[in-house]
Amino acid sequence: MKQFFRNWSLPITMLLGIAMYAVVHALQLPIEAKNAMQKGISVVQPLLIFAMLYLSFCKVDFKQLKWAPWHGWLLLIQVGVFALLALMLRYLPHNNVFLIIECWLACVVCPTATASVVIVEKLGGKTGSLLMYCILANLTVAFVVPVFIPLFTTHSEYGFWDTFKGILAQVGPVLTVPLVLARLTNRFLPALKTKLASYKDLAFYLWMVALALAMATASRAFMNTQIDTITLLGIMVVSLASCLLHFYIGRRIGRRYDDSISAGQALGQKNTIFVIWLSYTFMDPICAIAGGFYSIWHNSVNSWQLYKQQQN
């Protein structure tokens, strides 16, 4: 039983998150209670991610935070495809096709999930090179989104610097604060670092709790959508295709530099919370559904990878 849970921990966690939403929905609680629960999740989730990242970063050798050739290739692909899609949307009429391509664009531009460090560690990849790409990807997104979003969005009231500062405020603290604290711990509190390192899978378990909450939130957004079935299927397909292509391309490029695991996660595992925030702030809010679907797909890929790792 224990081995079964280890092999299928992520699918079980995802189903648990969906079941949590189904139970709450079936109870028909007052809207005030549901809003309070959602507010509680919005507080607990960042705390879980913060603790998870801090534990993971404490294990990172900061001397390994160096530029790797695959960083440049992945950034070029991410920015290039995003720019092409933005230019395409500029000349398309606002219909269902426009919406589906906009969802694709959101999946492409989304930066690497900081939680990918946990998966790379479990898969035996190079956490230092992945963390470096996380930093580069988030900074790149903060610059390119304000340049290309105005080409097709109706939110013209947002200027470059407003958008830039908004993105940095969204992704910056989640990445930098745990990183700085971990660096200080490694430098000045080595005994604490050793103690934390002894809790081998604690960061992974914290991430599973955060994943269950994320799946509950994604289920809520999915059930409350008002779009037609064909468009919904289109968003589902484009998010799945985007996810699989990202993992494939990342691994293919990373293999050339003996770093396929880190490169695959760098391009494939996305910060889907960012997709949801970007959609509600600068794009069509329906694009947030693409973030929910993408979360299912990249965690399904992670589940398969961890399963294969357990078999070896």
Side-chain angles (χ1 to χ4, degrees), residues 129-150:
S129 63
L130 175 68
L131 181 54
M132 186 65 185
Y133 187 82
C134 280
I135 297 170
L136 293 172
N138 279 280
L139 289 175
T140 301
V141 167
F143 276 103
V144 301
V145 166
V147 173
F148 290 99
I149 285 289

Side-chain angles (χ1 to χ4, degrees), residues 32-273:
E32 294 80 8
K34 292 183 178 179
N35 290 338
M37 292 176 66
Q38 190 65 28
K39 187 173 293 185
I41 291 175
S42 67
V43 173
V44 172
Q45 210 169 20
L47 294 176
L48 288 170
I49 294 173
F50 179 92
M52 172 197 69
L53 292 178
Y54 171 69
L55 290 169
S56 298
F57 291 165
C58 280
K59 301 177 184 178
V60 171
D61 183 357
F62 287 87
K63 294 179 181 178
Q64 296 179 357
L65 293 182
K66 297 177 182 178
W67 169 267
W70 63 262
H71 291 160
W73 286 112
L74 264 58
L75 288 172
L76 181 62
I77 291 170
Q78 198 168 355
V79 173
V81 175
F82 171 64
L84 287 174
L85 292 176
L87 290 170
M88 185 186 302
L89 289 174
R90 181 175 178 83
Y91 299 103
L92 283 178
H94 285 258
N95 52 26
N96 289 347
V97 174
F98 181 98
L99 180 58
I100 291 171
I101 294 177
E102 190 175 13
C103 288
W104 181 14
L105 175 145
C107 293
V108 169
V109 76
C110 183
T112 306
T114 48
S116 58
V117 176
V118 178
I119 299 297
V120 166
E121 182 184 356
K122 294 285 287 184
L123 293 174
K126 300 175 183 178
T127 54
S129 63
L130 175 68
L131 181 54
M132 186 65 185
Y133 187 82
C134 280
I135 297 170
L136 293 172
N138 279 280
L139 289 175
T140 301
V141 167
F143 276 103
V144 301
V145 166
V147 173
F148 290 99
I149 285 289
L151 292 179
F152 63 89
T153 185
T154 57
H155 296 281
S156 57
E157 68 272 17
Y158 293 105
F160 176 88
W161 287 113
D162 289 335
T163 310
F164 176 77
K165 288 185 290 185
I167 294 173
L168 282 187
Q170 173 69 17
V171 300
V174 176
L175 179 63
T176 57
V177 176
L179 184 62
V180 170
L181 287 179
R183 185 72 180 104
L184 292 174
T185 301
N186 292 353
R187 178 69 177 83
F188 298 108
L189 299 169
L192 177 60
K193 175 196 171 182
T194 303
K195 182 67 175 177
L196 292 174
S198 66
Y199 301 112
K200 185 177 179 182
D201 291 326
L202 180 57
F204 183 70
Y205 294 141
L206 290 174
W207 181 64
M208 286 198 294
V209 176
L211 174 60
L213 295 176
M215 290 306 301
T217 303
S219 299
R220 179 175 181 265
F222 175 77
M223 294 302 295
N224 291 331
T225 184
Q226 301 297 321
I227 61 175
D228 62 273
T229 304
I230 299 298
T231 304
L232 187 63
L233 287 174
I235 295 173
M236 182 187 302
V237 170
V238 80
S239 61
L240 174 59
S242 178
C243 178
L244 295 178
L245 276 172
H246 289 161
F247 274 103
Y248 174 77
I249 293 170
R251 277 186 165 269
R252 189 71 181 267
I253 292 175
R255 193 175 298 125
R256 295 184 178 182
Y257 306 99
D258 192 31
D259 203 2
S260 62
I261 294 175
S262 299
Q265 294 304 129
L267 196 60
Q269 188 169 345
K270 300 290 190 179
N271 179 3
T272 52
I273 296 175

